[in-house]
Amino acid sequence: MSFLLIDEHKLAKQVIQNIEQNEIAIAVANLRQQAKTSDDLPPAWLLHTADALENNDWSILSEGFINLDFIGKNGYFSIVAPYRINRQGQGHVALSAIYGKMHGNQEPSIDQLEHLSRENFGTLGQPISRNLSFTEIASCGNVSGENGEAFIVPNGWLFPNSICGPALNNASQQQRRFLGSSRECIQAIFEPTTANLLLDPLEDDINSDRYRHIDTQVHEAGHASGLGFNLKIEQNLFQNYTYAGIEEWRADSLGFEFAASILPAQEAGKLIAVNFCIRFGLDAHRLGGMEDVDVYASLISLEHLFQNEAIYVTKNGQLALHNLSYPGLLQAVELHRTQALTLTRKELKLKHLAGFFYLYQIDIHPSTQSIFQGLIIDRCQGIWSQLQ
């Protein structure tokens, strides 16, 4: 059995290599061979993938992706399809492939989060997207490496209705990024005690993957709340980086609210630490600068921290939290939570969708923007330039 598993891994990796080298016909043949012999990958999904590649018809994969038919009985999965990423305000599409194994994370439950959303807003804009964390075995294209996506959003896949499928959180890539540049950035941006508080949950060998998983799952619950992310995409409401950035910040902040409802303050605070490490240690340094969606979301988060008087600049020119505890981190995002709740309730009361553009406006104080540029972006430029 172990030899069969080794052979399966080898053939699955070979398909990834075929895609990377644009050997489409060979990849199709290998996928069909896999379908005959694989015990860990679903044969029907592999055959559908081969057909989609051969005919350049990606609609074949839609139903299976939404229904999670791409995952085998032991958690192994493979996806091959065009995937779109946004960099410097531009969309880039590449045929991409990922082979990995899903984790068994099941908390919090989707039912629990959907109940919380209805409890807060009286309705749920859409079903909450399931977040699936996985360990990567091989990858290529826009879902691979430092310049690819570690959090693979469903609507990035270019087949119909992909937005209704799961988000995929690449724990392997997240950990690689954290152990390198992201951790260095957090240590450069924040004074040592604050930096240690933020980094400790991600340095927890036992729980770090769990914290990342819950953070992304409550974030997805935030997107589903209100009018719902899907409707906003369908109605082209994210017409520039500011609207999309506010949506990302709103999803973060509602995620904090949901975490506070389902977890003790100590644990909820650790999720916020994980979020800050991602936003300030990774997202703030994307190549698009201030006009990148995730950079702008990070800037909005910093603005609310200052407004909430939760953070200050030390004499050494580093950022520091006033309350150095995980319950204190939960208090630090109190304004995030209340403002996001208010924004979401207002969007549900819109009589015309055109009002969305007036509603989704957040003023950033010039001093916040200056601090963000100087103490976050510029300070880490040398760290990130080593990777680019």
Side-chain angles (χ1 to χ4, degrees):
M1 182 64 70
S2 61
F3 288 110
L4 288 175
L5 187 59
I6 290 170
D7 288 343
E8 285 191 37
H9 285 330
K10 184 176 179 180
L11 192 52
K13 291 178 182 177
Q14 184 62 53
V15 170
I16 303 293
Q17 186 176 340
N18 296 151
I19 298 300
E20 190 169 29
Q21 296 174 353
N22 200 33
E23 298 170 341
I24 304 304
I26 299 174
V28 168
N30 282 332
L31 283 163
R32 289 184 173 140
Q33 178 62 31
Q34 267 188 294
K36 293 178 183 178
T37 61
S38 179
D39 190 49
D40 278 316
L41 293 172
W45 174 260
L46 294 171
L47 290 173
H48 288 157
T49 302
D51 291 343
L53 263 173
E54 190 169 53
N55 301 310
N56 197 31
D57 178 6
W58 301 103
S59 65
I60 298 169
L61 301 182
S62 293
E63 185 177 352
F65 179 68
I66 294 167
N67 294 333
L68 308 185
D69 294 340
F70 60 93
I71 305 172
K73 61 183 179 182
N74 294 316
Y76 289 96
F77 75 97
S78 175
I79 301 177
V80 178
Y83 189 84
R84 179 191 299 273
I85 62 174
N86 292 304
R87 293 291 184 269
Q88 296 177 284
Q90 299 294 320
H92 302 276
V93 177
L95 184 60
S96 304
I98 187 87
Y99 172 51
K101 185 174 184 180
M102 295 296 178
H103 297 176
N105 298 322
Q106 296 295 326
E107 65 168 321
S109 74
I110 299 298
D111 288 345
Q112 184 181 26
L113 291 172
E114 290 188 345
H115 172 76
L116 279 173
S117 185
R118 289 191 177 95
E119 193 173 60
N120 276 287
F121 306 114
T123 186
L124 183 67
Q126 66 183 62
I128 294 174
S129 295
R130 186 177 298 277
N131 165 44
L132 303 175
S133 297
F134 68 93
T135 295
E136 175 191 327
I137 299 172
S139 66
C140 70
N142 282 342
V143 296
S144 179
E146 282 287 345
N147 293 321
E149 292 297 290
F151 187 63
I152 304 169
V153 296
N155 55 303
W157 299 108
L158 295 193
F159 40 77
N161 300 316
S162 63
I163 197 169
C164 298
L168 305 177
N169 189 31
N170 187 335
S172 311
Q173 188 61 252
Q174 297 277 19
Q175 183 69 353
R176 280 195 292 270
R177 293 180 180 186
F178 164 68
L179 289 174
S181 47
S182 295
R183 179 164 57 183
E184 286 186 59
C185 282
I186 293 299
Q187 291 170 332
I189 294 164
F190 296 95
E191 62 82 27
T193 310
T194 299
N196 289 337
L197 183 79
L198 297 179
L199 291 169
D200 278 352
L202 286 171
E203 293 180 332
D204 182 333
D205 292 336
I206 296 173
N207 292 305
S208 59
D209 284 345
R210 171 176 166 265
Y211 291 140
R212 284 194 189 93
H213 169 77
I214 300 175
D215 172 62
T216 52
Q217 188 62 79
V218 295
H219 178 89
E220 290 303 309
H223 276 312
S225 300
L227 293 175
F229 186 80
N230 295 2
L231 182 142
K232 292 170 184 175
I233 289 286
E234 291 167 4
Q235 298 297 321
N236 192 30
L237 297 183
F238 302 136
Q239 294 183 6
N240 62 40
Y241 72 93
T242 62
Y243 303 128
I246 292 171
E247 171 67 17
E248 282 301 306
W249 166 83
R250 186 187 74 95
D252 279 354
S253 303
L254 290 182
F256 301 156
E257 179 68 19
F258 296 146
S261 299
I262 62 178
L263 295 171
Q266 179 80 0
E267 291 294 283
K270 289 180 180 179
L271 294 191
I272 293 160
V274 169
N275 177 275
F276 284 1
C277 284
I278 293 169
R279 286 300 185 197
F280 298 123
L282 175 63
D283 290 342
H285 313 287
R286 292 183 181 268
L287 293 176
M290 291 288 193
E291 295 186 357
D292 181 277
V293 170
D294 290 305
V295 176
Y296 193 65
S298 306
L299 174 63
I300 298 170
S301 187
L302 184 66
E303 173 67 22
H304 282 78
L305 287 172
F306 277 122
Q307 286 188 24
N308 201 38
E309 298 182 350
I311 203 165
Y312 66 98
V313 179
T314 70
K315 293 179 180 179
N316 294 328
Q318 290 181 298
L319 298 178
L321 288 163
H322 282 290
N323 190 331
L324 289 166
S325 68
Y326 293 113
L329 265 177
L330 190 57
Q331 293 174 10
V333 297
E334 184 177 350
L335 189 61
H336 289 68
R337 293 160 56 191
T338 57
Q339 295 283 56
L341 286 166
T342 299
L343 177 62
T344 304
R345 289 170 182 145
K346 284 182 178 180
E347 75 175 39
L348 284 168
K349 292 180 180 179
L350 287 173
K351 294 182 179 179
H352 303 286
L353 284 180
F356 173 89
F357 304 110
Y358 174 79
L359 186 60
Y360 269 52
Q361 301 285 339
I362 291 178
D363 292 329
I364 306 294
H365 196 279
S367 63
T368 304
Q369 188 152 335
S370 177
I371 290 168
F372 188 82
Q373 182 69 52
L375 302 188
I376 295 179
I377 294 179
D378 292 347
R379 178 161 289 167
C380 295
Q381 195 167 22
I383 297 170
W384 280 98
S385 64
Q386 297 170 21
L387 302 170
Q388 296 164 358

